[in-house]
Amino acid sequence: MNRPTDPHQMTQASTPVGTHAGYMPGFGNDFETEALPDALPQGMNSPQKCNYGLYGEQLSGTAFTANPPERTWCYRIRPSVKHSHRYEKIDLPYWKSAPCVDPDVISLGQYRWDAVPHSDEGLNWLTGMRTMTTAGDVNTQVGMATHIYLVTESMVDDYFFSADSELLVVPQEGRLRFATELGIIDLEPKEIAIIPRGLLYRVEVLEGPARGFVCENYGQKFELPGRGPIGANCMANPRDFKAPVAAFEDREVPSTVTIKWCGQFHTTKIGHSPLDVVAWHGNYAPYKYDLRTYCPVGAILFDHPDPSIFTVLTAPSGQPGTANIDFVLFRERWMVMEDTFRPPWYHKNIMSELMGNIYGQYDAKPQGFVPGGMSLHNMMIPHGPDKEAFEKASNSNLGPDKLDNTMSFMFETRFPQHLTAFAANEAPLQDDYIDCWTDIDKKFDGTPGRK
Ligand SMILES: [Fe+2]
């Protein structure tokens, strides 16, 4: 197999038959992949000498004793200790970590933002990250942060990993390439990607400008929710998750690695690309998922189920049934319920709900919740349909109705979310959002049978 000639070309493994080029199907599988023949040891992990003079190294995403352990064996040109030298602290002022409670910012309330516009400034994956909310505590590995990314420039000889978190990336505009230690993920709107804690990567712009949402998970990894009585099918199916095949670079150029560690950022200088894993096997890997393969399940006679019916991925908190984070998808679907108020009902919730619009219109808010926009309904803060949505849903003739051209999501966490100063002061906050409920009128007058 040929070595790469283009310095930014990674040598990539051949693609298994029956899947998309460059990816292997399955959720949390024990994958194995090699970019050069016989680079992967068979039958053992630590041979006395690895083929091609590679170094064997384990990347552990869980404690060694976790059940099941999540780890990947990498066979690489240099061990990771060669991808790290003395550290220098740097400042990325817009990327915040919990706890981040600004005394001048009120997080108590209902908030909604228009899409954060791109600026004239060239921004990459690190400088373009804008934290909107934080929850929990990065130092104790509980909670999360939500971000908007605004990316116009590729990282060049510049790499990053977060020791704090796994990142759930939800593109809304533009296409990005995540060139990671374990292979390449190309990502576009209607797809999501998960980048595990500790995994090194570089982000390139395939089509810009790129904007999207990120959920930074400080806690236990995302997993598939139990389907319970739904059974073995529907919702997100394991085969639709795609992990990349092995790909590596053998380039000796001055390079920078930036590390996020306990909420702080440091850089270290090295003389080569750290994306040098020639072969790997294990169940700790990045992956992507096409949201169009999500099979929604819902009520088929009456009533509106809890939104948890649309959970794509859940990150446990240690308390069964109470997630650190649920990632919930509201996509195209049929509404067929009889004698039912069909939009999401009015409610208050111990969980705090941050929503984003990928495209189209959301049924509880026909106006104002725009593609690229976000909303936050924080812990125990009431919310629900606006006046227009309520009147329409209460008075329409209820035949089968297709909700079309709609894809929104929710990052829901058991912890209250705190707005950053950016979210409160710089992002396009809709000051009049709360007014969408002002016109809801009192209908009750004590008359029996009145509806
Ligand atoms: Fe809600």
Side-chain angles (χ1 to χ4, degrees):
M1 192 169 292
N2 293 329
R3 289 293 174 103
T5 49
D6 177 340
H8 287 90
Q9 178 78 39
M10 295 174 85
T11 297
Q12 200 161 356
S14 60
T15 301
V17 173
T19 187
H20 298 289
Y23 299 95
M24 302 176 284
F27 188 90
N29 286 9
D30 212 47
F31 297 106
E32 66 170 35
T33 172
E34 58 187 10
L36 293 176
D38 303 322
L40 194 66
Q42 292 297 321
M44 63 187 305
N45 295 322
S46 291
Q48 187 176 18
K49 288 189 176 183
C50 295
N51 209 352
Y52 297 98
L54 297 171
Y55 290 85
E57 176 176 315
Q58 185 174 230
L59 173 63
S60 291
T62 56
F64 297 137
T65 46
N67 188 20
E70 293 177 1
R71 59 88 184 91
T72 287
W73 273 95
C74 303
Y75 300 91
R76 58 194 317 158
I77 298 171
R78 297 175 179 86
S80 287
V81 288
K82 292 290 288 179
H83 305 324
S84 170
H85 204 248
R86 289 187 174 80
Y87 299 108
E88 180 184 339
K89 189 162 184 258
I90 62 164
D91 198 18
L92 289 172
Y94 284 103
W95 192 332
K96 302 291 188 190
S97 294
C100 176
V101 182
D102 189 322
D104 298 324
V105 168
I106 298 175
S107 297
L108 175 79
Q110 304 95 338
Y111 296 94
R112 192 166 67 190
W113 295 265
D114 288 326
V116 179
H118 293 280
S119 70
D120 296 334
E121 190 184 357
L123 297 170
N124 66 24
W125 182 249
L126 302 180
T127 56
M129 199 67 73
R130 301 280 180 269
T131 306
M132 297 292 290
T133 67
T134 66
D137 186 340
V138 72
N139 288 289
T140 51
Q141 300 184 347
V142 294
M144 63 158 213
T146 65
H147 316 279
I148 292 277
Y149 66 80
L150 304 167
V151 178
T152 54
E153 294 182 350
S154 296
M155 296 166 74
V156 179
D157 300 325
D158 192 13
Y159 304 87
F160 172 69
F161 76 85
S162 172
D164 286 344
S165 46
E166 75 175 342
L167 298 188
L168 163 58
V169 184
V170 185
Q172 191 266 323
E173 181 184 79
R175 296 173 59 235
L176 295 175
R177 167 166 292 174
F178 293 79
T180 82
E181 288 180 285
L182 300 185
I184 298 169
I185 289 179
D186 288 344
L187 198 66
E188 61 187 29
K190 304 176 191 175
E191 297 178 321
I192 59 168
I194 295 276
I195 310 295
R197 184 193 300 263
L199 189 77
L200 257 168
Y201 61 98
R202 175 183 72 225
V203 181
E204 299 170 2
V205 179
L206 297 178
E207 189 181 312
R211 178 175 53 211
F213 312 91
V214 170
C215 180
E216 185 180 359
N217 174 16
Y218 304 146
Q220 261 181 274
K221 284 181 62 198
F222 280 105
E223 57 188 45
L224 290 174
R227 292 191 185 89
I230 291 170
N233 303 293
C234 298
M235 304 172 70
N237 288 301
R239 66 176 299 207
D240 296 319
F241 292 82
K242 314 288 183 188
V245 297
F248 72 95
E249 297 175 339
D250 183 10
R251 294 193 300 119
E252 300 193 358
V253 290
S255 302
T256 302
V257 177
T258 301
I259 300 165
K260 182 176 191 284
W261 200 89
C262 293
Q264 297 188 333
F265 294 87
H266 294 77
T267 60
T268 185
K269 306 275 189 205
I270 58 175
H272 47 264
S273 168
L275 306 183
D276 64 355
V277 176
V278 178
W280 60 269
H281 78 86
N283 59 357
Y284 192 69
Y287 55 86
K288 75 170 182 175
Y289 173 74
D290 188 334
L291 295 170
R292 290 163 290 197
T293 64
Y294 185 83
C295 176
V297 173
I300 53 173
L301 190 58
F302 64 89
D303 268 355
H304 179 110
D306 291 339
S308 48
I309 197 81
F310 298 137
T311 301
V312 181
L313 292 168
T314 185
S317 72
Q319 182 175 332
T322 304
N324 184 33
I325 308 162
D326 281 328
F327 173 64
V328 181
L329 181 70
F330 306 98
R331 65 161 303 186
E332 295 84 354
R333 60 198 183 276
W334 282 91
M335 306 290 266
V336 298
M337 303 85 89
E338 298 173 355
D339 187 22
T340 292
F341 183 77
R342 288 180 174 177
W345 15 253
Y346 295 102
H347 73 128
K348 297 197 294 186
N349 190 357
I350 187 171
M351 308 289 277
S352 63
E353 309 171 358
L354 186 132
M355 287 190 63
N357 186 340
I358 300 169
Y359 64 79
Q361 203 174 65
Y362 180 65
D363 58 335
K365 301 279 163 51
Q367 306 296 328
F369 183 46
V370 298
M374 304 177 92
S375 69
L376 173 65
H377 303 118
N378 226 332
M379 178 179 67
M380 285 300 177
I381 304 299
H383 55 283
D386 58 27
K387 162 87 173 171
E388 180 190 344
F390 179 86
E391 293 300 337
K392 187 176 170 199
S394 303
N395 296 299
S396 59
N397 294 321
L398 295 180
D401 186 23
K402 177 93 181 277
L403 292 180
D404 232 333
N405 185 36
T406 184
M407 187 174 277
S408 298
F409 68 87
M410 181 161 65
F411 299 147
E412 182 177 81
T413 175
R414 64 175 297 187
F415 301 106
Q417 298 187 46
H418 296 275
L419 269 60
T420 59
F422 173 80
N425 304 322
E426 292 186 54
L429 188 63
Q430 297 176 2
D431 290 330
D432 60 351
Y433 175 44
I434 196 168
D435 298 335
C436 78
W437 296 292
T438 301
D439 293 341
I440 295 174
D441 50 352
K442 174 186 166 187
K443 301 178 188 300
F444 174 84
D445 64 4
T447 307
R450 177 181 173 177
K451 287 193 175 180

